[in-house]
Amino acid sequence: MGTENAGTEQRQPVMADVAKLAGVSHQTVSRVLNGAPHVRPDTRERVLAAIRELDYRPNSAARALVTRRSQTLGVVSFDSTLYGPASMLEGIERAARSAGYFVSVTSLRSLDGRSVQEAVDRLRDQGVEGVVVIAPQTSTVSAVARLSSSVPLVAVGSGNQTQVPMVSVGNRYGAGVATGHLLDLGHRTVHHVAGPANWLESQDREEGWRLALQAAGAPVPEVERGDWSARSGYQAGLRIAELPDVTAVFCANDHMALGLLRALHEAGRSVPDEISVVGFDDIPEAAYFIPPLTTVRQDFGELGRRALELLVEELEGGSTSRAHAQISPEMVLRRSVAPANRR
Amino acid sequence: MGTENAGTEQRQPVMADVAKLAGVSHQTVSRVLNGAPHVRPDTRERVLAAIRELDYRPNSAARALVTRRSQTLGVVSFDSTLYGPASMLEGIERAARSAGYFVSVTSLRSLDGRSVQEAVDRLRDQGVEGVVVIAPQTSTVSAVARLSSSVPLVAVGSGNQTQVPMVSVGNRYGAGVATGHLLDLGHRTVHHVAGPANWLESQDREEGWRLALQAAGAPVPEVERGDWSARSGYQAGLRIAELPDVTAVFCANDHMALGLLRALHEAGRSVPDEISVVGFDDIPEAAYFIPPLTTVRQDFGELGRRALELLVEELEGGSTSRAHAQISPEMVLRRSVAPANRR
DNA sequence: TGGAGAAGTGTTAACGCTCACAAGAGCTCC
DNA sequence: GGAGCTCTTGTGAGCGTTAACACTTCTCCA
């Protein structure tokens, strides 16, 4: 018996094997694979048949080596367990797939700049062609801006950093609409449970809230600050329940609103009869809170999709557009809000 | 001026550049990079200095080509927006990183077998060394079992498919404990809001619930079926609220329990005074439902981690262990449960 | 003092693919 | 009827790395 192909150990077929079986040169196989023109139909058929027969798969490393393109994009995210980041990731992945890219993810250990640099370096070492950073914190964004990286990069989050192309939600706008809605209902002012101070989203939502109050000539109460979690919303709620004349609260996200609702419930303050509550995000559960939560919807999936489009554009169009795309949030009215009692 | 390095267009440095700068051969650079023995300390230093100076990064495609190892693992997931899959993904990514692998994700378009095959093929084309499939549905799992794939593969989910190594949560056990707990509190029986019929997790939890009832000689009420969403839990809740003698409900997940709580609230049925409710998963918000939800915690992150360990073991140890690892869930007691009223 | 073996380094050949170019076949057009 | 096309296919040279092996210089002990 021959020496080659001994035992069960047969290596993966390569292009040359396909070529031999089809009776053509390896280059013709390559042409078929890459849809090059000027291949006679019957030749193409023979090649395809050989490919099927051998179950041949092109070696992506070899291709990447010579083309200098890995067909892979990287995504850096912080807490991909949260609904927002997870949805963005999914949006990014879907968009990447339909643009013909693979997606490699890596999560941040911590929020300092070093960690961001590490993550991006890791992706670069893997040979990604571009990177999307899901970077909602000031520290992350500024780290990204400082990043020494030769890789095209898009950030998705908030803020108006001009260094880096970015896709973001109109947080200020959304917060303004929510606050304005409450004021229009006759509430003298609106309290605010803000997110962490170092998140851009917090800052923007807080600013939108503040500006809306000022524009209406309403007093600006002191902010309660949470960390996005339901727990922190609950604690803020306990404090707010102590205040005598609160009639409306705008929470920087739905999870904190959930905690707030429970705190108010336990304190015997009825929502919306005594106090109106508005959240932000429109997580799928918000409609099933007690009572159903009025909130500001942002389309995370779309956010991810747009970020990826921007990256691909930069990658393929070559246009280093410093564009900032913005996505408008939209208010969703539910039962947690009512007109102020005119006492 | 010279012809090379004209203008700003300078290519990435390669190993040969480092070698030249350090005055050694490229092989010595390779040795330094890969921590090979028998390199004189001062040579190593010179090489490292050259690497730093040029900001050299090894080309992963070239390395992958020759070593036949991509250092990349693939993850297939279905709805990575849900808390469970998202947490698993995060657990997998972290574990992969510390084992020295990159992670490439792809999500399923739909739940049929073709879609699973497509996803795995896609990852294979990219050259992943192994795949983790987050496959909680019967269809997915059986598709995985049928999969024609030469790539090592681990499933994470539920069920007792023997074809494929798998990591799963003790769903039956957890459901049994939850049901038993309610029975112990004096409830005559426990109603159940199940998940989708084609999910293994649903099936196992339902079975655990049923067995516990039977073991206690309790009647087995008809199952209400949802789709994991709060909305479906709400609808099940509306139906359950109509039933006269319900005193305890076990929901197959926390989101449906949230919907159920609201339906009961609207129907004026007090939880836990009239009806006790138990969920499953222990999502972070469960502690802030009204009332706080008693539930069965499963550690998704750990699940992902274990799946990855299994895969790496198979990859590196070569042991094609057909092992099924199980993770025990744990009951978390909160206020949504009370002893039955002895009327 | 010589020579075996270890330590340290270099040379060459893959890995599997695409790109640039060459070259034959068949056609058109004056 | 042959110059000049286009269509179709093949040949050879890399891409940047690691693996295998060869070679030179030490070290150490008989």
Side-chain angles (χ1 to χ4, degrees), chain B residues 74-153:
Chain B
V75 176
V76 175
S77 90
F78 178 55
D79 187 349
S80 51
T81 280
L82 297 175
Y83 177 71
S87 305
M88 289 189 221
L89 182 56
E90 180 150 306
I92 290 171
E93 195 277 326
R94 285 185 141 64
R97 177 164 23 157
S98 65
Y101 290 93
F102 300 107
V103 171
S104 195
V105 300
T106 188
S107 56
L108 247 40
R109 287 173 185 289
S110 61
L111 280 176
D112 53 295
R114 205 165 50 75
S115 174
V116 175
Q117 179 79 53
E118 245 176 56
V120 173
D121 282 350
R122 233 180 84 79
L123 292 171
R124 259 186 78 187
D125 287 347
Q126 195 192 0
V128 299
E129 296 182 34
V131 172
V132 177
V133 181
I134 299 179
Q137 304 85 7
T138 38
S139 55
T140 320
V141 171
S142 58
V144 165
R146 277 199 313 277
L147 219 55
S148 61
S149 164
S150 51
V151 179
L153 191 147

Side-chain angles (χ1 to χ4, degrees), chain B residues 191-202:
Chain B
H191 284 247
H192 182 45
V193 180
N198 62 337
W199 284 56
L200 290 168
E201 268 129 350
S202 298

Side-chain angles (χ1 to χ4, degrees), chain B residues 39-98:
Chain B
V39 177
R40 223 189 304 156
D42 64 313
T43 309
R44 156 172 280 113
E45 257 326 308
R46 250 182 312 138
V47 169
L48 290 175
I51 288 175
R52 274 193 301 274
E53 178 168 343
L54 297 177
D55 188 30
Y56 163 75
R57 325 214 148 210
N59 180 313
S60 63
R63 173 179 286 175
L65 179 57
V66 64
T67 60
R68 296 153 174 294
R69 306 212 48 187
S70 64
Q71 310 264 69
T72 303
L73 302 179
V75 176
V76 175
S77 90
F78 178 55
D79 187 349
S80 51
T81 280
L82 297 175
Y83 177 71
S87 305
M88 289 189 221
L89 182 56
E90 180 150 306
I92 290 171
E93 195 277 326
R94 285 185 141 64
R97 177 164 23 157
S98 65

